[in-house]
């Protein structure tokens, strides 16, 4: 994209060379990567990661929205070591269980909304959504309503990258590769006020976006719809925070029809909003919640589905065998690390601190960026935030075609030692929950410098 900033061609080190030759990188243009080489990250501590050129980067994305507890926690290393020595692996299929899975399930149920008491473990968020797809259809079969099969999701949603995950997601650039979405999934409008709000007030737009759910329900027929799935706020779509009117209207519509609610908590779970789950922040009553990412703070791969009593009761009382599971469902080492991660978040008061202290501070400082000449909007909640890059604040005209400004801004940000992620022309952050106020100041200072440089690059300053 911006060759001038990243091109270090012809000076690849050993790891970069191996990577170019043999590693097929996810969500990447592998041909371009082969020209420029990937940045090699080799250590991390707190909210910082380090590359093998000795650059220190403030990781304002917490990896991929997951390192909630921050990097370098010895307690997690110790618990993994101990668990590996005792029982590195056993499965949960054949009338067996183990302490890490049982204890973690109990802990998660104690933190989840009170009507959610069972946890099914997976290896990732995508697998959690695949699991939900099967659980929900099985649920309606058992209820004697087998026509209720279809899922309603939203445009620009992200629910993972497996066939079901990508189909539930609303990303056009994913759908166009591999003939997705699969049948039985449709996508309604997203509550993206900056882009689609037009002349409406936030309030009116939120209601309108929510009502596209009712329109779709009436079109497909209540008797054909199994569930509505949504992120509480969209993450990968660009930190899209719905207007305050949105969720109450969705709740009103869902209460009218017999349709399950799946709240995708893969990003928002484990403290991101200042509550354990965003379902508590927004007072939602989900039937199912996929989780992953912050569950283990990314230290080991683990995900799951928190199952509400209504669905669990039917599947368990009437369902017989549930013919679904993964070799690594509830992996003992991953589960032990996840449990310790949650215990640390609890015992160190991380989530209360986010709620009462650091997230109000982050949001206040982030809002200051709205005054910058190339920022059309700032938004956020808890420990996530986004801003829109524009040339003209009034018309919202973008700086350059094809979201070029977002890529340039990311490159300047990296050069300034700050990891911000572009989603088109939206720059987003989701820092570790342990970030301090001093580190938030550093983040904002680096973001301002980055915005200045981006503006100058396009002759806008
Ligand atoms: C990341 C993500 C997923 C997929 O999780 P993986 O562990 O990458 O499979 C699902 N839903 C949301 C909201 C996510 O952000």
């Amino acid at each position: 994209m911006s060759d001038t900033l990243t091109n270090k061609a012809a000076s690849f080190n050993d790891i970069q060379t191996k990577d170019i030759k043999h590693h097929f990188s996810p969500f990447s243009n592998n041909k371009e990567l082969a020209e420029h080489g990937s940045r090699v990250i080799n250590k991390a501590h707190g909210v910082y990661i380090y590359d093998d050129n000795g650059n220190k980067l403030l990781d304002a994305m917490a990896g991929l929205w997951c390192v909630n507890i921050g990097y370098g926690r010895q307690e997690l290393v110790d618990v993994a070591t101990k668990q590996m020595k005792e029982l590195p692996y056993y499965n949960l299929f054949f009338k067996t269980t183990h302490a890490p899975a049982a204890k973690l399930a109990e802990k998660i149920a104690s933190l989840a909304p009170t009507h959610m008491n069972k946890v099914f473990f997976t290896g990732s968020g995508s697998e959690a959504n695949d699991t939900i797809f099967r659980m929900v259809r099985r649920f309606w079969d058992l209820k004697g309503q087998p026509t209720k099969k279809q899922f309603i999701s939203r445009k620009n949603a992200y629910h993972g990258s497996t066939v079901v995950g990508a189909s539930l997601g609303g990303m056009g650039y994913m759908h166009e590769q591999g003939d997705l979405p699969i049948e039985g999934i449709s996508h309604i409008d997203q509550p993206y006020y900056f882009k689609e709000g037009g002349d409406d007030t936030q309030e009116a737009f939120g209601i309108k976006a929510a009502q596209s759910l009712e329109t779709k329900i009436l079109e497909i027929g209540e008797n054909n719809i199994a569930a509505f799935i949504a992120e509480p706020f969209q993450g990968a779509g660009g930190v899209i925070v719905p207007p305050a009117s949105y969720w109450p209207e969705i709740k009103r519509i869902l209460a009218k029809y017999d349709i399950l609610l799946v709240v995708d908590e893969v990003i928002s779970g484990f403290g991101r909003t200042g509550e354990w789950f965003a379902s508590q922040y927004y007072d939602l009553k989900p039937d199912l919640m996929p989780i992953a990412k912050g569950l283990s703070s990314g230290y080991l791969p683990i995900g799951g589905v928190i199952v509400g009593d209504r669905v669990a009761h039917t599947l368990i009382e009437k369902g017989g065998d549930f013919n679904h599971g993964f070799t690594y469902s509830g992996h003992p080492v991953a589960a032990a690390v996840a449990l310790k991660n949650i215990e640390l978040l609890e015992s160190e008061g991380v989530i209360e601190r986010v709620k009462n202290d650091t997230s109000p501070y982050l949001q206040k400082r982030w809002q200051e960026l709205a005054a910058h000449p190339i920022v059309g909007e700032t938004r956020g909640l808890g420990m996530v935030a986004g801003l829109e890059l524009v040339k003209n604040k009034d018309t919202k005209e973008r700086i350059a075609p094809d979201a070029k400004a977002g890529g340039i801004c990311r490159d300047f940000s990296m050069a300034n030692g700050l990891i911000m992620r572009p989603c088109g022309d939206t720059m987003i952050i989701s820092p570790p929950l342990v970030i301090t106020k001093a580190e938030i100041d550093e983040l904002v200072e680096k973001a301002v410098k980055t915005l200045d440089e981006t503006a100058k690059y396009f002759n806008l300053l």
Side-chain angles (χ1 to χ4, degrees), residues 96-114:
T96 56
T97 190
H98 46 63
K103 286 185 184 168
L104 178 60
E106 178 197 41
K107 172 57 85 179
I108 293 169
S110 77
L111 302 170
T114 48

Side-chain angles (χ1 to χ4, degrees), residues 140-170:
W140 288 117
D141 277 348
L142 291 167
K143 294 292 268 187
Q145 292 175 269
T147 59
K148 285 175 80 70
K149 280 198 196 323
Q150 301 209 36
F151 278 69
I152 301 177
S153 178
R154 301 183 300 183
K155 295 169 191 163
N156 199 33
Y158 190 80
H159 297 298
S161 192
T162 50
V163 170
V164 168
S167 293
L168 288 172

Side-chain angles (χ1 to χ4, degrees), residues 28-50:
S28 300
N29 181 330
N30 279 256
K31 191 174 170 200
E32 257 181 30
L33 271 188
E35 286 165 31
H36 302 293
S38 288
R39 183 189 291 265
V40 182
I41 305 302
N42 61 3
K43 58 179 187 178
H45 191 79
V47 300
Y48 296 98
I49 63 168
Y50 299 81

